[in-house]
Amino acid sequence: MERSPRAMMPLVTQVSTFFVGIDVSHGSPGQSDIPSVAAVVGSREWPLISKYRACVRTQSRKVEMIDNLFKPVTDENGKLVDEGIFWELLFDFYTSSGKRRPEHIIIFRDGVSEYQFNQVHNIELDQMMQACKFVEENWEPKFTVIIAQKNHHTKFFQAESPGNVPPDNVPPGTIVDSKICHPRNNDFYLCAHNGMIGTTRPTHYHVLYDEIGFSTDDLQELVHSLSYVYQRSTTAISV
């Protein structure tokens, strides 16, 4: 019997949860006049996890950290308002979800290296927390921040492939969270997609911050499930 999404992911479907995806793209080498582009998406119409609103802003070239997630300014009436990216997406979640504020906020950050993890925590997460405080001082949703990395050299294949050259890819949905992972940090590799050509490269996920308190299995199941909600694909995608 097929389980419903509510039964499979109670921490997401029974508690109002806001999903955020963050990435920054840069101009090609040698293009000194091309600004970097910060793209942020936020989920809407909770309890759905497959509808998102996008917000795109330019910023200084070659700057990876987003500096306008929280942007308090004074409007024409002298009132202090937030014109940051995070507020725009948060307000859309609120209006599309029956005027419900999220109790849990899960952030996926792409495109950063390990030496930038502290910057994501101290700069970007801090801005989003400030944006929530700006809405209401006593509103304290729980945050979870996950880094997704594709730029690495780890690949998986089946050791028992029956004489195939190259060896068979691992089945889609394969997770590796021991042996080759960090001895202390919470990280895992997920090969969610079915590689049709070549050897599949898994996505390396690092749980940078977790106030929600996911168990290891629940979090891995959630990330795997999100690999199936890309609207232009009928199968799982790699990240």
Side-chain angles (χ1 to χ4, degrees):
M1 182 176 180
E2 186 176 342
R3 293 186 298 169
S4 68
R6 285 182 177 271
M8 293 172 64
M9 294 182 290
L11 287 177
V12 171
T13 56
Q14 295 179 13
V15 178
S16 56
T17 303
F18 181 41
F19 287 95
V20 181
I22 302 175
D23 197 6
V24 178
S25 59
H26 309 285
S28 301
Q31 294 181 316
S32 59
D33 57 338
I34 302 297
S36 294
V37 179
V40 185
V41 298
S43 62
R44 60 196 316 272
E45 297 183 28
W46 180 84
L48 298 180
I49 62 172
S50 58
K51 290 188 176 183
Y52 293 82
R53 176 190 176 103
C55 183
V56 179
R57 306 269 180 96
T58 58
Q59 60 184 35
S60 301
R61 63 178 298 271
K62 300 300 181 183
V63 174
E64 182 63 40
M65 294 300 116
I66 301 178
D67 55 9
N68 54 6
L69 287 167
F70 175 58
K71 187 179 180 182
V73 297
T74 304
D75 64 9
E76 57 186 12
N77 298 319
K79 181 181 178 181
L80 192 64
V81 297
D82 182 7
E83 292 187 352
I85 299 174
F86 191 68
W87 158 250
E88 180 179 326
L89 300 174
L90 194 61
F91 183 72
D92 181 72
F93 176 92
Y94 175 77
T95 55
S96 67
S97 303
K99 295 187 177 180
R100 184 191 298 268
R101 292 178 183 171
E103 298 178 43
H104 293 169
I105 299 177
I106 302 175
I107 302 158
F108 287 86
R109 182 62 160 97
D110 193 11
V112 293
S113 302
E114 291 188 23
Y115 76 91
Q116 296 171 310
F117 285 4
N118 284 336
Q119 297 178 54
V120 172
H121 184 279
N122 297 330
I123 299 175
E124 293 181 343
L125 177 59
D126 184 67
Q127 288 185 72
M128 288 181 276
M129 288 180 169
Q130 288 184 60
C132 293
K133 288 288 187 182
F134 189 84
V135 175
E136 183 178 320
E137 182 66 28
N138 295 325
W139 179 39
E140 296 182 350
K142 295 181 179 179
F143 284 83
T144 291
V145 181
I146 303 170
I147 308 293
Q149 289 182 326
K150 285 288 287 183
N151 189 19
H152 58 78
H153 301 288
T154 302
K155 294 184 178 181
F156 299 143
F157 58 88
Q158 297 189 52
E160 302 298 328
S161 298
N164 291 348
V165 181
D168 289 339
N169 284 317
V170 295
T174 297
I175 290 176
V176 176
D177 58 5
S178 61
K179 303 293 185 181
I180 64 172
C181 296
H182 197 282
R184 293 181 301 276
N185 297 346
N186 185 0
D187 67 314
F188 61 93
Y189 291 88
L190 168 62
C191 189
H193 63 301
N194 182 24
M196 303 300 292
I197 300 175
T199 304
T200 54
R201 177 181 296 177
T203 302
H204 193 187
Y205 292 97
H206 303 260
V207 184
L208 188 66
Y209 185 81
D210 183 21
E211 277 186 322
I212 298 175
F214 284 103
S215 69
T216 300
D217 290 342
D218 285 343
L219 185 60
Q220 292 173 357
E221 177 67 31
L222 172 62
V223 175
H224 183 223
S225 299
L226 288 171
S227 301
Y228 283 85
V229 302
Y230 187 55
Q231 294 180 349
R232 291 166 55 191
S233 176
T234 56
T235 60
I237 57 174
S238 63
V239 60

